[in-house]
Amino acid sequence: MRGSIACPGADTIRYGGNTPCIEVHCGDHVLIFDAGTGLRQLGNALVKNSMRRDADIFLTHCHLDHVTGLPFFAPFFVDGYKVGIWAGNLLPDGSVEQVMRKIMSSPLFPVEVEIFRAGIEYHDFVSGDVLKPHPGIVLHTAPLDHPDGASGYRLEYGGKVFALISDTSGFPGRRDRELVTLARNADLIVYDATFTEEEIKTRETWGHSTWNRGVKLANEAGAKTLCLFHHDPSHDDDFMDALAADAADARPGTLTAREGQIIDL
């Protein structure tokens, strides 16, 4: 749930210290959004299910806090497993396979991707594309306002809509139309709320947002539930409690993401 860097410790127990990783179940399919440090625990849980042998990882972008869990994803080491890795911010100059190989190369990592035993498929797309990874699952994508680029996702499945809008500098901003389109009538928006309004005054170019801007977007888009995400590592549990209370007062029903939290749509 954290941005920038993992921050485990006594002051982050209630909201968690791992960097971004969200698991979404669409029938028999598992979709994973971002591959931060939380991906390790998720991977360990997935391989314990002998009936499951495939997953897809959709990256918002490839900054370290969103990909650092990839080498530790247990399904990669299981014969017969299939994993798709998707990214929309790298073409035409790069690819998600190049990122994976760079992470797992000397002197950054002691082994290379050839150690994996699963079948891995690399998928590069351009933000704005519509993705259909499995029958009945549709993901609309849009570019976000973030250094090096990032992709927002709108997942439609079974009459429900989930939107992930992180990392972005927010609403209002330079990509208001794209954000509203992603969030329109969504059952759940998970939104970048890294900074407070006071903090963002000196961080406008960092590509992150505030809970206040998330509330404005959710209201404009007519979304049902807003969930705040990508917490700043300097915000301890007490700070987050106060932030969560303020956001819920401003928009009743607003959630503040906690590690391990389950949300049913």
Side-chain angles (χ1 to χ4, degrees), residues 144-193:
L144 302 180
D145 186 11
H146 191 72
D148 299 317
S151 300
Y153 292 94
R154 176 187 174 91
L155 167 61
E156 299 175 352
Y157 173 77
K160 299 291 185 177
V161 175
F162 162 74
L164 173 61
I165 301 176
S166 182
D167 296 12
T168 191
S169 56
F171 182 90
R174 290 187 294 174
R175 295 196 178 276
D176 291 356
R177 183 173 63 181
E178 290 95 332
L179 299 190
V180 172
T181 298
L182 289 175
R184 178 68 69 193
N185 298 323
D187 295 280
L188 174 67
I189 305 174
V190 174
Y191 184 82
D192 182 331

Short mmCIF file of all heavy atoms in Angstrom, two decimals, residues 144-193:
data_model
loop_
_atom_site.label_atom_id
_atom_site.label_comp_id
_atom_site.label_asym_id
_atom_site.label_seq_id
_atom_site.Cartn_x
_atom_site.Cartn_y
_atom_site.Cartn_z
N LEU A 144 -1.31 8.28 -17.56
CA LEU A 144 -1.37 9.10 -16.35
C LEU A 144 -0.22 10.10 -16.34
O LEU A 144 0.79 9.92 -17.02
CB LEU A 144 -1.31 8.21 -15.10
CG LEU A 144 -2.39 7.14 -14.97
CD1 LEU A 144 -2.19 6.34 -13.68
CD2 LEU A 144 -3.78 7.76 -15.01
N ASP A 145 -0.38 11.13 -15.54
CA ASP A 145 0.60 12.21 -15.45
C ASP A 145 1.63 11.85 -14.38
O ASP A 145 1.45 12.13 -13.20
CB ASP A 145 -0.13 13.51 -15.09
CG ASP A 145 0.78 14.72 -15.11
OD1 ASP A 145 1.92 14.58 -15.61
OD2 ASP A 145 0.37 15.78 -14.64
N HIS A 146 2.71 11.19 -14.82
CA HIS A 146 3.73 10.70 -13.90
C HIS A 146 5.07 10.67 -14.64
O HIS A 146 5.10 10.37 -15.83
CB HIS A 146 3.37 9.29 -13.42
CG HIS A 146 4.21 8.80 -12.28
ND1 HIS A 146 4.10 9.30 -11.00
CD2 HIS A 146 5.17 7.85 -12.22
CE1 HIS A 146 4.95 8.68 -10.21
NE2 HIS A 146 5.62 7.81 -10.93
N PRO A 147 6.18 10.98 -13.96
CA PRO A 147 7.49 10.90 -14.62
C PRO A 147 7.73 9.53 -15.23
O PRO A 147 7.46 8.51 -14.59
CB PRO A 147 8.46 11.18 -13.47
CG PRO A 147 7.68 12.02 -12.50
CD PRO A 147 6.28 11.48 -12.57
N ASP A 148 8.19 9.48 -16.46
CA ASP A 148 8.42 8.27 -17.25
C ASP A 148 7.13 7.62 -17.73
O ASP A 148 7.16 6.57 -18.37
CB ASP A 148 9.25 7.22 -16.49
CG ASP A 148 10.63 7.74 -16.12
OD1 ASP A 148 11.26 8.40 -16.98
OD2 ASP A 148 11.06 7.51 -14.98
N GLY A 149 5.99 8.22 -17.42
CA GLY A 149 4.71 7.68 -17.87
C GLY A 149 4.18 6.60 -16.95
O GLY A 149 4.92 5.92 -16.24
N ALA A 150 2.87 6.43 -16.97
CA ALA A 150 2.19 5.38 -16.21
C ALA A 150 0.84 5.13 -16.85
O ALA A 150 0.34 5.96 -17.62
CB ALA A 150 2.03 5.77 -14.74
N SER A 151 0.25 3.99 -16.52
CA SER A 151 -1.04 3.61 -17.09
C SER A 151 -2.08 3.46 -15.98
O SER A 151 -1.83 2.83 -14.96
CB SER A 151 -0.94 2.27 -17.83
OG SER A 151 -0.01 2.35 -18.89
N GLY A 152 -3.25 4.05 -16.21
CA GLY A 152 -4.40 3.79 -15.36
C GLY A 152 -5.23 2.68 -15.98
O GLY A 152 -5.21 2.47 -17.20
N TYR A 153 -5.96 1.94 -15.14
CA TYR A 153 -6.74 0.80 -15.61
C TYR A 153 -8.21 0.93 -15.18
O TYR A 153 -8.50 1.35 -14.06
CB TYR A 153 -6.20 -0.51 -15.03
CG TYR A 153 -4.83 -0.91 -15.54
CD1 TYR A 153 -3.68 -0.56 -14.85
CD2 TYR A 153 -4.70 -1.66 -16.71
CE1 TYR A 153 -2.42 -0.95 -15.30
CE2 TYR A 153 -3.45 -2.05 -17.18
CZ TYR A 153 -2.32 -1.70 -16.47
OH TYR A 153 -1.08 -2.08 -16.93
N ARG A 154 -9.08 0.53 -16.08
CA ARG A 154 -10.50 0.35 -15.77
C ARG A 154 -10.85 -1.09 -16.13
O ARG A 154 -10.88 -1.47 -17.31
CB ARG A 154 -11.36 1.32 -16.58
CG ARG A 154 -12.88 1.14 -16.40
CD ARG A 154 -13.67 2.02 -17.36
NE ARG A 154 -15.10 1.77 -17.30
CZ ARG A 154 -15.95 2.42 -16.49
NH1 ARG A 154 -15.48 3.36 -15.68
NH2 ARG A 154 -17.24 2.13 -16.49
N LEU A 155 -11.09 -1.91 -15.12
CA LEU A 155 -11.38 -3.32 -15.30
C LEU A 155 -12.89 -3.53 -15.26
O LEU A 155 -13.55 -3.15 -14.28
CB LEU A 155 -10.70 -4.13 -14.19
CG LEU A 155 -11.12 -5.59 -14.02
CD1 LEU A 155 -10.84 -6.39 -15.28
CD2 LEU A 155 -10.41 -6.20 -12.82
N GLU A 156 -13.42 -4.13 -16.32
CA GLU A 156 -14.85 -4.43 -16.39
C GLU A 156 -15.02 -5.95 -16.46
O GLU A 156 -14.46 -6.61 -17.34
CB GLU A 156 -15.47 -3.77 -17.62
CG GLU A 156 -15.34 -2.25 -17.60
CD GLU A 156 -15.85 -1.59 -18.88
OE1 GLU A 156 -16.15 -2.34 -19.84
OE2 GLU A 156 -15.93 -0.35 -18.92
N TYR A 157 -15.80 -6.48 -15.51
CA TYR A 157 -16.03 -7.92 -15.47
C TYR A 157 -17.33 -8.20 -14.72
O TYR A 157 -17.54 -7.67 -13.61
CB TYR A 157 -14.88 -8.65 -14.79
CG TYR A 157 -15.15 -10.12 -14.57
CD1 TYR A 157 -15.06 -11.02 -15.62
CD2 TYR A 157 -15.54 -10.60 -13.31
CE1 TYR A 157 -15.34 -12.37 -15.44
CE2 TYR A 157 -15.82 -11.94 -13.13
CZ TYR A 157 -15.72 -12.83 -14.19
OH TYR A 157 -16.00 -14.16 -14.00
N GLY A 158 -18.19 -9.01 -15.29
CA GLY A 158 -19.39 -9.44 -14.61
C GLY A 158 -20.30 -8.32 -14.16
O GLY A 158 -20.96 -8.42 -13.11
N GLY A 159 -20.32 -7.23 -14.91
CA GLY A 159 -21.18 -6.10 -14.55
C GLY A 159 -20.61 -5.19 -13.49
O GLY A 159 -21.27 -4.23 -13.07
N LYS A 160 -19.37 -5.44 -13.06
CA LYS A 160 -18.71 -4.61 -12.06
C LYS A 160 -17.54 -3.87 -12.69
O LYS A 160 -16.95 -4.32 -13.68
CB LYS A 160 -18.21 -5.45 -10.88
CG LYS A 160 -19.32 -6.19 -10.13
CD LYS A 160 -20.21 -5.21 -9.38
CE LYS A 160 -21.24 -5.96 -8.53
NZ LYS A 160 -22.09 -5.03 -7.74
N VAL A 161 -17.19 -2.73 -12.08
CA VAL A 161 -16.10 -1.91 -12.60
C VAL A 161 -15.14 -1.57 -11.47
O VAL A 161 -15.55 -1.05 -10.42
CB VAL A 161 -16.62 -0.61 -13.24
CG1 VAL A 161 -15.45 0.28 -13.66
CG2 VAL A 161 -17.51 -0.92 -14.44
N PHE A 162 -13.86 -1.86 -11.70
CA PHE A 162 -12.79 -1.51 -10.78
C PHE A 162 -11.81 -0.60 -11.51
O PHE A 162 -11.38 -0.92 -12.63
CB PHE A 162 -12.07 -2.77 -10.30
CG PHE A 162 -10.71 -2.53 -9.70
CD1 PHE A 162 -10.58 -1.98 -8.44
CD2 PHE A 162 -9.55 -2.87 -10.40
CE1 PHE A 162 -9.33 -1.77 -7.88
CE2 PHE A 162 -8.30 -2.67 -9.85
CZ PHE A 162 -8.19 -2.10 -8.59
N ALA A 163 -11.47 0.54 -10.93
CA ALA A 163 -10.52 1.46 -11.55
C ALA A 163 -9.31 1.64 -10.65
O ALA A 163 -9.45 1.88 -9.44
CB ALA A 163 -11.18 2.80 -11.81
N LEU A 164 -8.13 1.52 -11.22
CA LEU A 164 -6.88 1.80 -10.51
C LEU A 164 -6.25 3.03 -11.15
O LEU A 164 -5.88 3.01 -12.33
CB LEU A 164 -5.92 0.62 -10.59
CG LEU A 164 -4.52 0.86 -10.03
CD1 LEU A 164 -4.56 1.23 -8.55
CD2 LEU A 164 -3.63 -0.36 -10.26
N ILE A 165 -6.12 4.10 -10.37
CA ILE A 165 -5.57 5.36 -10.87
C ILE A 165 -4.44 5.78 -9.95
O ILE A 165 -4.59 6.48 -8.97
CB ILE A 165 -6.68 6.44 -10.95
CG1 ILE A 165 -7.81 5.96 -11.87
CG2 ILE A 165 -6.11 7.75 -11.45
CD1 ILE A 165 -8.99 6.89 -11.94
N SER A 166 -3.26 5.26 -10.27
CA SER A 166 -2.04 5.52 -9.50
C SER A 166 -0.89 5.09 -10.40
O SER A 166 -0.99 4.04 -11.05
CB SER A 166 -2.04 4.67 -8.22
OG SER A 166 -0.92 4.91 -7.43
N ASP A 167 0.11 5.83 -10.57
CA ASP A 167 0.57 7.06 -9.97
C ASP A 167 0.21 8.23 -10.89
O ASP A 167 0.53 8.20 -12.07
CB ASP A 167 2.06 7.02 -9.79
CG ASP A 167 2.53 5.93 -8.82
OD1 ASP A 167 1.77 5.03 -8.43
OD2 ASP A 167 3.71 5.97 -8.46
N THR A 168 -0.37 9.27 -10.33
CA THR A 168 -0.76 10.42 -11.13
C THR A 168 -0.82 11.66 -10.27
O THR A 168 -1.02 11.57 -9.06
CB THR A 168 -2.13 10.18 -11.80
OG1 THR A 168 -2.38 11.19 -12.77
CG2 THR A 168 -3.24 10.14 -10.77
N SER A 169 -0.63 12.82 -10.88
CA SER A 169 -0.62 14.06 -10.10
C SER A 169 -2.01 14.56 -9.81
O SER A 169 -2.18 15.45 -8.99
CB SER A 169 0.18 15.14 -10.82
OG SER A 169 -0.32 15.36 -12.12
N GLY A 170 -3.03 13.98 -10.48
CA GLY A 170 -4.35 14.16 -9.92
C GLY A 170 -5.38 14.93 -10.68
O GLY A 170 -5.21 15.28 -11.84
N PHE A 171 -6.44 15.18 -9.99
CA PHE A 171 -7.64 15.81 -10.54
C PHE A 171 -8.03 16.96 -9.62
O PHE A 171 -8.26 16.76 -8.43
CB PHE A 171 -8.77 14.77 -10.58
CG PHE A 171 -10.04 15.28 -11.18
CD1 PHE A 171 -10.28 15.16 -12.53
CD2 PHE A 171 -11.01 15.89 -10.39
CE1 PHE A 171 -11.46 15.63 -13.09
CE2 PHE A 171 -12.19 16.36 -10.93
CZ PHE A 171 -12.41 16.22 -12.29
N PRO A 172 -8.07 18.21 -10.10
CA PRO A 172 -7.86 18.58 -11.50
C PRO A 172 -6.39 18.56 -11.91
O PRO A 172 -5.50 18.70 -11.07
CB PRO A 172 -8.42 20.00 -11.57
CG PRO A 172 -8.21 20.53 -10.20
CD PRO A 172 -8.43 19.37 -9.27
N GLY A 173 -6.16 18.33 -13.20
CA GLY A 173 -4.80 18.27 -13.70
C GLY A 173 -4.80 18.26 -15.21
O GLY A 173 -5.78 18.66 -15.85
N ARG A 174 -3.73 17.74 -15.79
CA ARG A 174 -3.58 17.79 -17.24
C ARG A 174 -4.34 16.68 -17.96
O ARG A 174 -4.50 16.73 -19.18
CB ARG A 174 -2.09 17.72 -17.61
CG ARG A 174 -1.32 18.97 -17.23
CD ARG A 174 0.09 18.92 -17.77
NE ARG A 174 0.89 17.87 -17.14
CZ ARG A 174 2.12 17.56 -17.52
NH1 ARG A 174 2.68 18.20 -18.54
NH2 ARG A 174 2.80 16.61 -16.89
N ARG A 175 -4.78 15.66 -17.23
CA ARG A 175 -5.44 14.52 -17.87
C ARG A 175 -6.81 14.25 -17.25
O ARG A 175 -7.20 13.10 -17.03
CB ARG A 175 -4.55 13.28 -17.76
CG ARG A 175 -3.24 13.40 -18.52
CD ARG A 175 -2.56 12.08 -18.75
NE ARG A 175 -1.34 12.18 -19.52
CZ ARG A 175 -1.28 12.21 -20.85
NH1 ARG A 175 -2.40 12.13 -21.56
NH2 ARG A 175 -0.14 12.28 -21.48
N ASP A 176 -7.55 15.32 -16.99
CA ASP A 176 -8.85 15.17 -16.34
C ASP A 176 -9.80 14.27 -17.13
O ASP A 176 -10.50 13.43 -16.56
CB ASP A 176 -9.51 16.54 -16.14
CG ASP A 176 -8.78 17.38 -15.11
OD1 ASP A 176 -7.82 16.87 -14.50
OD2 ASP A 176 -9.18 18.53 -14.90
N ARG A 177 -9.84 14.44 -18.44
CA ARG A 177 -10.79 13.66 -19.25
C ARG A 177 -10.49 12.17 -19.13
O ARG A 177 -11.42 11.35 -18.98
CB ARG A 177 -10.73 14.10 -20.71
CG ARG A 177 -11.74 13.38 -21.60
CD ARG A 177 -11.76 13.96 -23.00
NE ARG A 177 -10.48 13.77 -23.67
CZ ARG A 177 -10.23 14.20 -24.91
NH1 ARG A 177 -11.17 14.86 -25.57
NH2 ARG A 177 -9.06 13.99 -25.46
N GLU A 178 -9.22 11.81 -19.21
CA GLU A 178 -8.85 10.40 -19.11
C GLU A 178 -9.20 9.82 -17.75
O GLU A 178 -9.70 8.70 -17.64
CB GLU A 178 -7.34 10.22 -19.36
CG GLU A 178 -6.92 10.48 -20.80
CD GLU A 178 -6.44 11.91 -21.01
OE1 GLU A 178 -6.90 12.81 -20.28
OE2 GLU A 178 -5.60 12.12 -21.90
N LEU A 179 -8.97 10.60 -16.68
CA LEU A 179 -9.25 10.10 -15.35
C LEU A 179 -10.75 9.89 -15.14
O LEU A 179 -11.17 8.87 -14.57
CB LEU A 179 -8.71 11.06 -14.29
CG LEU A 179 -7.20 11.32 -14.28
CD1 LEU A 179 -6.80 12.10 -13.03
CD2 LEU A 179 -6.42 10.02 -14.37
N VAL A 180 -11.56 10.83 -15.57
CA VAL A 180 -13.01 10.69 -15.42
C VAL A 180 -13.51 9.50 -16.22
O VAL A 180 -14.38 8.74 -15.76
CB VAL A 180 -13.73 11.98 -15.83
CG1 VAL A 180 -15.24 11.77 -15.85
CG2 VAL A 180 -13.38 13.12 -14.88
N THR A 181 -12.96 9.30 -17.41
CA THR A 181 -13.36 8.15 -18.23
C THR A 181 -13.05 6.84 -17.54
O THR A 181 -13.87 5.91 -17.53
CB THR A 181 -12.67 8.20 -19.61
OG1 THR A 181 -13.08 9.39 -20.29
CG2 THR A 181 -13.04 7.00 -20.45
N LEU A 182 -11.88 6.74 -16.94
CA LEU A 182 -11.52 5.52 -16.22
C LEU A 182 -12.45 5.29 -15.03
O LEU A 182 -12.81 4.15 -14.72
CB LEU A 182 -10.08 5.60 -15.71
CG LEU A 182 -8.95 5.51 -16.73
CD1 LEU A 182 -7.61 5.74 -16.05
CD2 LEU A 182 -8.95 4.14 -17.42
N ALA A 183 -12.82 6.35 -14.35
CA ALA A 183 -13.55 6.25 -13.09
C ALA A 183 -15.06 6.29 -13.23
O ALA A 183 -15.78 6.05 -12.25
CB ALA A 183 -13.10 7.37 -12.15
N ARG A 184 -15.58 6.57 -14.42
CA ARG A 184 -17.01 6.81 -14.59
C ARG A 184 -17.85 5.65 -14.05
O ARG A 184 -17.72 4.51 -14.48
CB ARG A 184 -17.32 7.03 -16.07
CG ARG A 184 -18.80 7.25 -16.38
CD ARG A 184 -19.28 8.59 -15.82
NE ARG A 184 -18.69 9.71 -16.54
CZ ARG A 184 -18.73 10.97 -16.12
NH1 ARG A 184 -19.33 11.26 -14.98
NH2 ARG A 184 -18.16 11.93 -16.83
N ASN A 185 -18.69 5.94 -13.05
CA ASN A 185 -19.63 4.98 -12.47
C ASN A 185 -18.95 3.71 -11.94
O ASN A 185 -19.58 2.64 -11.86
CB ASN A 185 -20.72 4.60 -13.47
CG ASN A 185 -21.56 5.79 -13.88
OD1 ASN A 185 -21.85 6.67 -13.08
ND2 ASN A 185 -21.94 5.84 -15.16
N ALA A 186 -17.69 3.81 -11.59
CA ALA A 186 -16.96 2.65 -11.08
C ALA A 186 -17.52 2.21 -9.72
O ALA A 186 -17.94 3.04 -8.91
CB ALA A 186 -15.48 2.96 -10.95
N ASP A 187 -17.53 0.91 -9.50
CA ASP A 187 -17.91 0.40 -8.18
C ASP A 187 -16.83 0.69 -7.15
O ASP A 187 -17.13 0.91 -5.97
CB ASP A 187 -18.15 -1.11 -8.26
CG ASP A 187 -19.34 -1.45 -9.14
OD1 ASP A 187 -20.48 -1.35 -8.66
OD2 ASP A 187 -19.12 -1.79 -10.32
N LEU A 188 -15.58 0.71 -7.60
CA LEU A 188 -14.45 0.98 -6.70
C LEU A 188 -13.35 1.68 -7.47
O LEU A 188 -12.96 1.23 -8.55
CB LEU A 188 -13.91 -0.32 -6.11
CG LEU A 188 -12.65 -0.23 -5.26
CD1 LEU A 188 -12.92 0.54 -3.96
CD2 LEU A 188 -12.10 -1.62 -4.94
N ILE A 189 -12.86 2.78 -6.92
CA ILE A 189 -11.65 3.44 -7.44
C ILE A 189 -10.56 3.30 -6.38
O ILE A 189 -10.76 3.66 -5.22
CB ILE A 189 -11.84 4.94 -7.69
CG1 ILE A 189 -13.01 5.23 -8.60
CG2 ILE A 189 -10.57 5.55 -8.27
CD1 ILE A 189 -13.31 6.72 -8.73
N VAL A 190 -9.42 2.78 -6.78
CA VAL A 190 -8.23 2.82 -5.93
C VAL A 190 -7.36 3.96 -6.47
O VAL A 190 -6.95 3.93 -7.63
CB VAL A 190 -7.48 1.48 -5.95
CG1 VAL A 190 -6.17 1.59 -5.19
CG2 VAL A 190 -8.36 0.38 -5.34
N TYR A 191 -7.11 4.94 -5.61
CA TYR A 191 -6.56 6.22 -6.09
C TYR A 191 -5.32 6.63 -5.30
O TYR A 191 -5.26 6.48 -4.08
CB TYR A 191 -7.64 7.30 -5.95
CG TYR A 191 -7.24 8.65 -6.50
CD1 TYR A 191 -7.33 8.91 -7.86
CD2 TYR A 191 -6.73 9.64 -5.68
CE1 TYR A 191 -6.95 10.13 -8.38
CE2 TYR A 191 -6.34 10.87 -6.19
CZ TYR A 191 -6.45 11.11 -7.54
OH TYR A 191 -6.07 12.32 -8.05
N ASP A 192 -4.37 7.19 -6.02
CA ASP A 192 -3.12 7.70 -5.44
C ASP A 192 -3.40 8.87 -4.51
O ASP A 192 -3.84 9.93 -4.94
CB ASP A 192 -2.21 8.14 -6.59
CG ASP A 192 -0.85 8.67 -6.14
OD1 ASP A 192 -0.74 9.20 -5.03
OD2 ASP A 192 0.10 8.54 -6.93
N ALA A 193 -3.15 8.68 -3.23
CA ALA A 193 -3.36 9.75 -2.24
C ALA A 193 -2.10 9.91 -1.39
O ALA A 193 -2.14 9.96 -0.17
CB ALA A 193 -4.56 9.43 -1.36
#
